[in-house]
Each structure stands twice: as C-alpha cells, then as structure tokens.
Amino acid sequence: MPTTVAVSVPQNQNTNHGVESPKKNKIQVSNTKKPLFFYVNLAKRYIQQRNEVVLSALGMGITTVVTIAEILKNNGLAIEKKVSTSSVTMKDETKGRLVQKAKIEIVLEKTEKFDSLTAVANTESKVVAADDDNHEKK
C-alpha cells in the first residue's frame, strides 16, 4: 500500500486565524488519554447522531483506533466505509527536529440494524439497573 506524506497546512487563512475547524464527527484517539470504551461509546453516539464517524490516530494510537473500529463492526453497529493511512511530519518537542509519524483514519457508517441493536442494549441495561435496585432494597 503506498504511503503518502501529509503536511498540516491551515485551510481558509482568512477565517479562524489560519486554524482549520475540526469535523463535527471526527474523534482523534490517543492510546494514553482515555480508556478504550470511552472512545467506543463516543463513536456510537456520533454514529447515532450523524450516521458516520471518523476515527483518527497517530503513532501508537493506531492500534486503539483499529480496536474501536473492530468492536463496532463485530457488534453490527458500523460498517467500514474508508480506511486511509499516511505519514505526517511533526516537530519532536524533545529533540527539536522534524519526525515522521504514521497516521490512520477510519470512516465508519451506521448499519441498518444500528437503531434496533442500540434499543435492545438500552432496554437490557435498564432491566439490569432495575434488578440491582430490587436486590439492594431486600
């Protein structure tokens, strides 16, 4: 698979002071900031609200993005629309030089059975919560 080199260039320099506004359905994943299921649940919410989500990561976060995508696909909630890989040139703060970082973006879209699967999951969690409340009262 060919590797492309992408250098961050600000878009629309007349607006937003040269800073590109992030997509409303894009999640930039880090493998150190949040737990895996934080991102899985956030991706589910984005898919529910916007019918698709873009998962993005650099370097070591790539495995986390792939895991999130596989969880959503294996549970029947999303289908893979597009996968793209590239290299991004960044400045390494500790070494003070430019380095290449691997980047991945996975676009997932809502499956036809997404709404019915999430409705079942929500019903089951309410039943479990009600059952827990009944056990505590005894």
Side-chain angles (χ1 to χ4, degrees), residues 10-53:
Q11 301 286 320
N12 302 327
Q13 292 200 2
N14 295 333
T15 59
N16 290 339
H17 304 289
V19 178
E20 187 177 347
S21 61
K23 283 185 174 181
K24 298 283 187 209
N25 65 335
K26 186 173 187 176
I27 301 172
Q28 294 181 321
V29 176
S30 165
N31 66 333
T32 57
K33 302 250 190 236
K34 302 270 186 207
L36 177 71
F37 277 91
F38 168 83
Y39 292 115
V40 171
N41 291 326
L42 184 61
K44 276 195 232 177
R45 196 169 342 140
Y46 278 30
I47 291 169
Q48 187 173 32
Q49 294 169 351
R50 300 176 180 102
N51 296 325
E52 77 173 26
V53 64

Side-chain angles (χ1 to χ4, degrees), residues 25 50-54 69 73 78-84 105-110:
N25 65 335
R50 300 176 180 102
N51 296 325
E52 77 173 26
V53 64
V54 179
K73 287 170 23 185
I79 57 173
E80 201 172 275
K81 188 175 177 183
K82 180 182 173 188
V83 177
S84 60
E105 280 193 354
I106 301 176
V107 181
L108 299 173
E109 64 183 3
K110 186 190 251 188

Side-chain angles (χ1 to χ4, degrees), residues 93-120:
E93 297 297 323
T94 57
K95 298 175 185 167
R97 61 185 169 99
L98 295 177
V99 294
Q100 292 284 317
K101 285 249 184 186
K103 178 181 179 179
I104 193 167
E105 280 193 354
I106 301 176
V107 181
L108 299 173
E109 64 183 3
K110 186 190 251 188
T111 61
E112 291 179 9
K113 55 187 177 179
F114 179 93
D115 293 322
S116 61
L117 289 171
T118 54
V120 169

